[in-house]
Amino acid sequence: MNRNPIRTFGELVARARRDPPPRMVVAAAGESAAIRAAVAAHHQGLIRPILVGECERIRRIAGQQDLCLDGVELVEAPDPITASAVAVRLAHDGEAELLMKGLVRTKDFLRAVLSPEFGLRGGGALSHVALFESPDRSRLILLTDSGINIRPRFSRKVAIVRNAIALAGALGIDEPKVAVIAAVETVELPTMPATLDAELLRRMAEAGQLGRCVLDGPLSMDNALDRCTAEVKGLVSPVAGQADIVVVPDIETGNAVYKTIRYVAGRDLAGVVVGAANPVVTTSRSDSPQTKLYSIALGVLMSLHSP
Amino acid sequence: MKHTLSCLVRNQPGVLARVSAAFASKGINIESLAVGETEDTNVSRVTIVVVGDDRTVLEAEEQCKSLDVVIELEDLASEEYFARELLLIKVRIRPETIPRVMQVAELFQARVIGLTDRALTLELASDHKAIDAMLKMVRPLGIVSMARSGQIAIPAGDEDEGEMAIEPESHPYVWRTGRSGAS
């Protein structure tokens, strides 16, 4: 297996292809964006889709959109909550390797994912990891958590970092450089608790408590991503300017960074929920078709590395 | 039985010693004692937590009330009250115990106010049960040093305007019973 780090989205899609492709079950698939994403990923050879929802509606939408459902399995479920439960149960029972959210509220979907009876609890906390290409498109950078954990406490941040390191491993980054983001580089108490979390994470990483990684923080975003800035500011850090993983303090920061990359820089991203037994793809309807495809490819790659 | 006493006294030297002596003379150990100014800078509130049988504590309370510097004394057991204590504690940290220390801080909503190479300083303002519970959890992790303020307390309900112990703008003080306070 090629263990070189994946550096671009094109490479991500290429490396995610398998024969046969893994099965991806889509919960509440009765909407055009979800059907289109699943069918596109199927045509790219990334997955074998299982669409759970109102079959008649799925067929009608596919017909209207000229989407071919050959090779796509349909499973009937009358409403989004039931569809989520059916989809999660299929993954739980080993009938699918990854899961994707369709037209269902995130909280209803995650309730099924976390069901103690048939859910996909992986023993740790769930977190969202987004992926984007560096400005010079020379490497991929992971951003976490912009989608699940609202204001994570310290212990949750430990889990978020570990989840991201695991995903970095799936991308061939064996010893990722992790930047824990704050607004400044020094611990400011009690005014900036994110700086304390960053410093404590740094101490844990230094002692090998977070697995194989090089972690530094608190670091501001410019120092984490831009080597020239770090040099100008005289910052000495093994991570400065070379971060593979960017850990933001809360969901507001993560969400803003994600959408700035998308809508200001005009770049595509990928995103996946990790920490569950199976990777979970939760794209938004407003995400571009490319973002959806890359997200599925990321989920596939993650599924190949799941224990 | 534990009693929380709220005592309004004149803000002048030697008052604390006289109040303490009233309890000591009855053989009652003061568990905590906290004093600070009230809305009237001439008056201080002393919150005293004592443990003793009800009768002896009552005798000590009466003795305390008889002091000319004591304006009012209430045993808060008879009514609802808000009570808080401040804890400042320095807890030892090692890389492997950091999550545990932070978990305890988060559980009790203690603020982290300081960090050194070997310790985190936490601040917790809460009732004494929560403070005791947190101390129990951090003790195995290693307490470097700590300080407790002693409990402060204030009745929860509205003050009765008709029975106000202290006239807002005037002195001398008036007892709840209407007796003139000594000046």
Side-chain angles (χ1 to χ4, degrees):
Chain A
M1 186 188 288
N2 182 357
R3 286 298 300 163
N4 290 329
I6 295 173
R7 298 184 183 280
T8 63
F9 282 134
E11 219 180 313
L12 173 72
V13 172
R15 292 261 288 268
R17 286 198 185 97
R18 286 291 181 281
D19 189 18
R23 293 156 298 180
M24 183 180 83
V25 59
V26 184
E31 57 135 357
S32 60
I35 300 168
R36 187 175 289 279
V39 169
H42 177 46
H43 289 163
Q44 288 276 341
L46 287 172
I47 50 144
R48 289 174 284 157
I50 305 169
L51 305 184
V52 182
E54 292 175 81
C55 295
E56 191 46 48
R57 179 183 164 86
I58 293 170
R59 286 193 196 95
R60 190 177 67 243
I61 293 169
Q64 288 165 352
Q65 307 268 324
D66 269 343
L67 298 169
C68 174
L69 293 181
D70 288 351
V72 178
E73 188 180 333
L74 300 185
V75 176
E76 180 67 32
D79 59 77
I81 292 176
T82 309
S84 298
V86 169
V88 170
R89 197 183 282 274
L90 284 170
H92 176 267
D93 293 345
E95 298 296 323
E97 284 71 42
L98 67 155
L99 178 69
M100 182 174 170
K101 182 179 93 71
L103 189 58
V104 55
R105 290 190 305 177
T106 301
K107 71 173 186 179
D108 292 332
F109 177 69
L110 288 179
R111 189 171 295 135
V113 171
L114 295 172
S115 161
E117 187 193 344
F118 56 81
L120 300 172
R121 285 173 183 270
L126 299 187
S127 58
H128 184 269
V129 183
L131 194 64
F132 60 98
E133 289 175 329
S134 63
D136 62 358
R137 290 190 160 86
S138 65
R139 64 198 175 92
L140 292 171
I141 299 170
L142 290 79
L143 168 72
T144 188
D145 177 339
S146 57
I148 296 275
N149 294 284
I150 295 170
R151 202 154 288 114
R153 293 177 172 181
F154 181 77
S155 51
R156 183 56 63 92
K157 284 188 181 176
V158 171
I160 288 170
V161 169
R162 286 188 172 135
N163 282 349
I165 291 171
L167 185 55
L171 293 165
I173 310 168
D174 290 332
E175 190 175 46
K177 294 186 168 64
V178 185
V180 186
I181 298 301
V184 293
E185 270 71 32
T186 52
V187 176
E188 300 292 334
L189 287 175
T191 48
M192 293 182 169
T195 61
L196 171 72
D197 290 349
E199 168 64 16
L200 295 177
L201 285 168
R202 188 192 64 75
R203 292 186 191 187
M204 287 184 68
E206 202 172 72
Q209 298 283 316
L210 298 177
R212 199 168 166 201
C213 70
V214 179
L215 184 148
D216 200 10
L219 287 174
S220 55
M221 192 65 106
D222 53 352
N223 283 325
L225 296 178
D226 189 70
R227 199 190 297 249
C228 292
T229 301
E231 281 171 12
V232 167
K233 291 185 175 177
L235 185 78
V236 178
S237 162
V239 173
Q242 325 168 56
D244 299 304
I245 298 173
V246 171
V247 182
V248 292
D250 53 34
I251 201 168
E252 284 88 359
T253 312
N255 190 273
V257 172
Y258 183 101
K259 286 177 178 160
T260 302
I261 293 168
R262 177 73 190 94
Y263 293 102
V264 178
R267 303 290 287 272
D268 280 307
L269 298 99
V272 68
V273 174
V274 291
N278 300 54
V280 180
V281 180
T282 57
T283 55
S284 154
R285 271 177 292 170
S286 62
D287 282 334
S288 69
Q290 284 305 98
T291 285
K292 291 189 174 82
L293 183 73
Y294 298 153
S295 298
I296 292 170
L298 184 59
V300 169
L301 208 73
M302 184 79 189
S303 75
L304 301 172
H305 286 78
S306 291
Chain B
M1 183 186 167
K2 187 175 281 194
H3 294 256
T4 301
L5 310 174
S6 177
C7 185
L8 291 175
V9 298
R10 299 185 66 180
N11 186 3
Q12 63 184 48
V15 172
L16 214 50
R18 292 175 67 189
V19 170
S20 308
F23 290 92
S25 68
K26 299 289 178 189
I28 296 170
N29 185 41
I30 293 176
E31 193 173 281
S32 84
L33 186 150
V35 59
E37 276 184 1
T38 64
E39 64 281 8
D40 182 340
T41 53
N42 295 306
V43 178
S44 294
R45 184 184 296 274
V46 185
T47 307
I48 310 162
V49 179
V50 294
V51 179
D53 68 82
D54 293 352
R55 186 191 168 104
T56 315
V57 171
L58 190 63
E59 286 171 9
E61 286 177 22
E62 290 304 322
Q63 187 172 332
C64 207
K65 281 178 183 174
S66 70
L67 299 172
D68 58 3
V69 291
V70 173
I71 301 160
E72 181 187 305
L73 189 147
E74 281 182 275
D75 189 333
L76 295 175
S78 60
E79 58 182 308
E80 282 188 24
Y81 61 98
F82 298 117
R84 293 290 183 273
E85 187 174 350
L86 177 66
L87 169 73
L88 295 177
I89 184 166
K90 212 175 271 185
V91 185
R92 195 181 309 286
I93 51 167
R94 294 184 300 277
E96 63 274 21
T97 63
I98 287 172
R100 184 83 186 120
V101 174
M102 290 298 286
Q103 227 166 23
V104 174
E106 288 159 2
L107 180 65
F108 289 93
Q109 298 186 330
R111 281 207 314 167
V112 179
I113 57 170
L115 173 70
T116 65
D117 287 345
R118 281 173 290 181
L120 268 180
T121 305
L122 307 177
E123 170 196 298
L124 176 63
S126 193
D127 60 70
H128 73 95
K129 282 184 184 167
I131 288 178
D132 288 345
M134 191 175 100
L135 285 173
K136 195 174 171 185
M137 292 183 80
V138 294
R139 191 157 280 126
L141 300 165
I143 297 172
V144 178
S145 61
M146 60 173 263
R148 292 177 77 152
S149 65
Q151 187 166 276
I152 59 168
I154 196 166
D158 281 334
E159 306 295 340
D160 187 340
E161 298 283 335
E163 290 186 348
M164 275 188 70
I166 306 158
E167 295 300 327
E169 299 293 336
S170 64
H171 295 285
Y173 309 111
V174 179
W175 286 104
R176 279 178 180 243
T177 55
R179 176 167 75 85
S180 294
S183 59

